[in-house]
Amino acid sequence: MKTIYVATGVICNHETDEVLAVQRGYGDMAGLWEFPGGKVERGEQSLDACVRELAEELHVTVSNLRNFYTVEFDYDDFHLSMDCFLCQIDSGEIKQTEQMDIRWVKREALATLQWMPADVEVVQVLTEAKDAEGDARQVKRRHDSRKSMQGNKRANTKPELLVRQRLREAGLTGYRLQWKKAPGRPDIAFPGRKIAIFVNGCFWHRCPHCNPSMPKRNTDFWIAKFKRNVERDQAAIAELENLGWTAITIWECELKKKNIDQTMERVITQIREATKA
């Protein structure tokens, strides 16, 4: 399913506790309410897209943009990934362009409007936040979450290093790391033998053995994110197998001290059997 990336502005007036809502004026969902914004262009950052879209759509300049929430929503024919930024109007007067209506709405009255399906979740978060202080706490949670995700190393993780050490000890050298020419960019690849090894973190790739926990906040976002991760992993393995490769998945929990010997014995056997074939 195609993914469309969108950036929207949650424009607040914290003095009156009102939020700007626009009524969609085109398409199959004309008449529904949404937060102003639009598509992120290729090579553009979401924050920059939000500033540009609000200038084009409302003829205003916004400031103090803060990453507030991300919506992951499946429409019938595409997946929407929508970054939402809290912001205030810095200059300009709001002008109606393609919208049917533009309205400042009290926070507690937001739920009385008929919203676009993907925007309903943002309304719920705004309502739960209650006020400017609640908005600030939500922004902090987003910041902490993104920082944690950015700290998730792509290469040379401890599990990968353990696997590579055991492979070298078994005399299995000559592998490539993060090999871009193979589907899924395997962590360890033996191109000549057509063997791809993925060393997966249990949390991010949803290990079937240890059943990692689900974050309690922003649950819909995490469910959608994990679903895409799993689907991407499955698609990469299927493509590799169609090309005649042997794909091996090693889970982080399988490399714990009590499991690593058995795990690596299995992996090394798989590699040698695939080489013979």
Side-chain angles (χ1 to χ4, degrees):
M1 182 181 290
K2 180 181 179 182
T3 298
I4 295 178
Y5 296 93
V6 168
T8 62
V10 181
I11 304 176
C12 297
N13 184 333
H14 284 132
E15 292 182 1
T16 62
D17 200 28
E18 292 178 316
V19 182
L20 192 71
V22 300
Q23 192 174 29
R24 194 176 182 91
Y26 61 91
D28 296 338
M29 297 187 185
L32 297 182
W33 291 85
E34 62 184 348
F35 296 98
K39 290 183 181 180
V40 179
E41 302 292 346
R42 185 182 295 275
E44 188 177 36
Q45 297 295 318
S46 290
L47 187 145
D48 296 329
C50 183
V51 172
R52 174 183 56 75
E53 285 287 341
L54 296 180
E56 294 175 358
E57 182 177 347
L58 302 176
H59 297 274
V60 297
T61 301
V62 293
S63 61
N64 194 24
L65 280 82
R66 290 155 291 160
N67 195 316
F68 180 70
Y69 197 74
T70 297
V71 174
E72 302 288 349
F73 190 87
D74 286 331
Y75 282 102
D76 290 339
D77 53 353
F78 68 93
H79 175 82
L80 179 74
S81 181
M82 182 169 72
D83 286 334
C84 306
F85 295 90
L86 280 180
C87 54
Q88 286 84 44
I89 294 176
D90 188 49
S91 62
E93 294 185 6
I94 297 173
K95 294 182 180 179
Q96 191 169 332
T97 52
E98 297 179 331
Q99 311 89 352
M100 293 176 64
D101 193 8
I102 301 176
R103 187 183 302 176
W104 286 101
V105 184
K106 287 285 188 180
R107 187 188 295 255
E108 62 267 23
L110 287 169
T112 64
L113 300 179
Q114 190 173 1
W115 290 87
M116 292 279 291
D119 292 66
V120 170
E121 194 174 328
V122 186
V123 172
Q124 292 172 345
V125 176
L126 281 166
T127 303
E128 291 172 2
K130 296 183 178 180
D131 53 27
E133 290 185 1
D135 291 344
R137 288 192 292 270
Q138 171 63 23
V139 168
K140 185 179 185 303
R141 283 195 292 269
R142 285 289 296 151
H143 175 269
D144 292 345
S145 175
R146 290 174 67 86
K147 187 175 181 181
S148 174
M149 291 168 66
Q150 290 168 353
N152 181 38
K153 294 170 63 177
R154 166 75 189 180
N156 294 323
T157 62
K158 183 178 179 180
E160 285 182 40
L161 295 175
L162 286 172
V163 171
R164 283 149 50 182
Q165 179 185 0
R166 292 297 184 103
L167 292 177
R168 289 194 300 272
E169 289 174 355
L172 297 171
T173 58
Y175 48 74
R176 304 287 186 89
L177 303 178
Q178 308 291 322
W179 205 52
K180 297 179 182 179
K181 294 182 180 180
R185 194 176 175 181
D187 298 303
I188 302 168
F190 293 89
R193 310 181 192 206
K194 285 193 172 183
I195 298 171
I197 301 175
F198 297 94
V199 185
N200 286 348
C202 294
F203 178 77
W204 296 104
H205 296 267
R206 312 316 287 168
C207 174
H209 305 297
C210 63
N211 297 314
S213 62
M214 178 68 66
K216 294 181 180 179
R217 293 186 180 275
N218 202 358
T219 304
D220 289 340
F221 164 80
W222 288 107
I223 289 174
K225 179 175 180 59
F226 292 146
K227 180 174 180 286
R228 292 198 308 276
N229 286 353
V230 171
E231 289 175 347
R232 185 169 55 245
D233 292 343
Q234 292 173 342
I237 289 173
E239 189 174 353
L240 283 164
E241 290 176 347
N242 287 337
L243 294 172
W245 283 62
T246 297
I248 300 172
T249 299
I250 305 173
W251 294 95
E252 183 180 2
C253 65
E254 293 183 300
L255 296 172
K256 292 185 180 298
K257 189 173 182 179
K258 63 180 181 180
N259 299 328
I260 187 169
D261 289 341
Q262 182 179 353
T263 298
M264 290 310 302
E265 182 180 351
R266 168 179 61 83
V267 170
I268 290 167
T269 299
Q270 283 181 275
I271 293 172
R272 287 175 173 158
E273 287 180 352
T275 301
K276 292 177 183 177

